[in-house]
Amino acid sequence: MQSLTTQITMPIAKTDFTTRFFKDAGISTGMRVLDVGCGSGDLSFFVAGLVGTEGSVVGIDHDLTALRVARQRIEAENTPSPEFVQSDLLSIPSELGQFDAIVGRRVLMYQPNIIAAVRALARSLKPSGIVAFQEHDSTLVPAALNAFPLHRQAQGWIKEMLAREGADLNIGFNLHKILTEAGLKVDDLRAECLLQMPDQPNSVGNIVKACLPRIVSLGVASAEIVDIATLQARLDTERQGSEGIYISDIIFGACAHKPY
């Protein structure tokens, strides 16, 4: 199963949820961190900046194309360089050793057996080590007082694509249970809405564009119905013609540790 982050580069701003969450989770200078489902390396490079030259980051993913992109970014990034390794979550190479922290962003929701995956990850974690995952949840969204029919339709294509691929669209509400059943102690669970104001677009058009081959192949919508060449302009027109607020997504962050 492909994730959204495998195909889309998602830069991390200094004040966004990702920055605040992983800093609060305790990712800091000198730590050895494993980024699972790293895709093209956005989180890996961000975490490398947190741990500095005294620490290290290993990113793993099963997708060789995404890893190739991540490795090509090493020379362009002005941060300590992560190492990128092909692996899935259930068979992490033992030679990678133990880690102070394991992190991931939009990765657990795609696992067919999430609890087994987290248990497997915990074997690569030092006692008292940190596990921190950011996941996006669709249980309560989209939400708005205004109609936003095209926004809802476009987001519906993405949600239906993920559902047909077997993703857990309620992952945020399931995180505490998953981590607890995997033998970890949950320390923090938080959530934050992603919202769009009339003068501030969201990224749904770009996400639909990146996922269009999957949307079409799964029979969610035809290319003619999506009309990707005009989709973003139509979304902008709808947004600019409304005074309403549109909530497109809810981000959850869960932090836990491995008991001694």
Side-chain angles (χ1 to χ4, degrees):
M1 184 189 303
Q2 291 178 293
S3 70
L4 294 183
T5 52
T6 295
Q7 296 191 354
I8 303 170
T9 298
M10 304 174 72
I12 299 171
K14 292 182 179 180
T15 59
D16 75 357
F17 181 94
T18 300
T19 300
R20 289 180 274 110
F21 171 62
F22 286 104
K23 284 184 175 180
D24 290 348
I27 309 302
S28 57
T29 302
M31 296 181 74
R32 187 164 190 264
V33 182
L34 177 68
D35 175 20
V36 298
C38 65
S40 58
D42 290 320
L43 184 59
S44 299
F45 284 105
F46 170 72
V47 171
L50 294 182
V51 303
T53 56
E54 297 177 14
S56 62
V57 177
V58 177
I60 63 168
D61 202 289
H62 65 86
D63 189 328
L64 274 176
T65 300
L67 291 175
R68 191 175 300 115
V69 173
R71 290 166 181 152
Q72 290 172 348
R73 292 175 61 183
I74 289 176
E75 293 183 3
E77 298 286 342
N78 188 27
T79 63
S81 299
E83 175 187 1
F84 294 103
V85 177
Q86 185 182 28
S87 173
D88 61 40
L89 274 64
L90 293 173
S91 58
I92 298 173
S94 58
E95 56 266 27
L96 291 181
Q98 298 283 292
F99 294 86
D100 300 300
I102 296 176
V103 301
R105 188 167 67 146
R106 299 190 78 150
V107 60
L108 293 184
M109 64 184 291
Y110 299 104
Q111 304 308 311
N113 189 333
I114 302 177
I115 295 174
V118 176
R119 285 176 177 161
L121 290 174
R123 290 195 288 269
S124 296
L125 191 65
K126 296 177 181 178
S128 76
I130 298 168
V131 171
F133 283 101
Q134 174 184 324
E135 299 288 337
H136 289 223
D137 187 289
S138 301
T139 305
L140 303 176
V141 293
L145 297 180
N146 303 68
F148 289 102
L150 183 59
H151 282 73
R152 292 178 184 272
Q153 182 182 39
Q155 194 162 355
W157 295 329
I158 298 168
K159 288 177 66 174
E160 182 60 24
M161 175 198 76
L162 293 173
R164 295 187 186 189
E165 290 179 338
D168 181 0
L169 300 183
N170 311 118
I171 183 66
F173 287 91
N174 293 328
L175 277 174
H176 189 282
K177 177 183 177 181
I178 290 166
L179 296 176
T180 300
E181 291 190 7
L184 302 173
K185 174 63 176 176
V186 177
D187 301 307
D188 180 45
L189 182 62
R190 62 180 69 178
E192 184 174 299
C193 292
L194 284 180
L195 58 82
Q196 167 187 288
M197 296 180 286
D199 60 347
Q200 182 184 41
N202 66 30
S203 59
V204 65
N206 289 332
I207 296 174
V208 171
K209 182 177 181 179
C211 295
L212 186 59
R214 293 154 66 187
I215 290 171
V216 172
S217 66
L218 289 167
V220 175
S222 67
E224 291 74 21
I225 289 175
V226 174
D227 190 9
I228 198 63
T230 68
L231 178 60
Q232 188 59 56
R234 288 182 286 130
L235 288 167
D236 290 342
T237 298
E238 182 174 84
R239 167 180 52 83
Q240 293 164 357
S242 172
E243 296 180 351
I245 300 301
Y246 180 81
I247 299 176
S248 62
D249 216 343
I250 299 180
I251 313 172
F252 279 76
C255 179
H257 71 271
K258 181 178 180 178
Y260 279 98

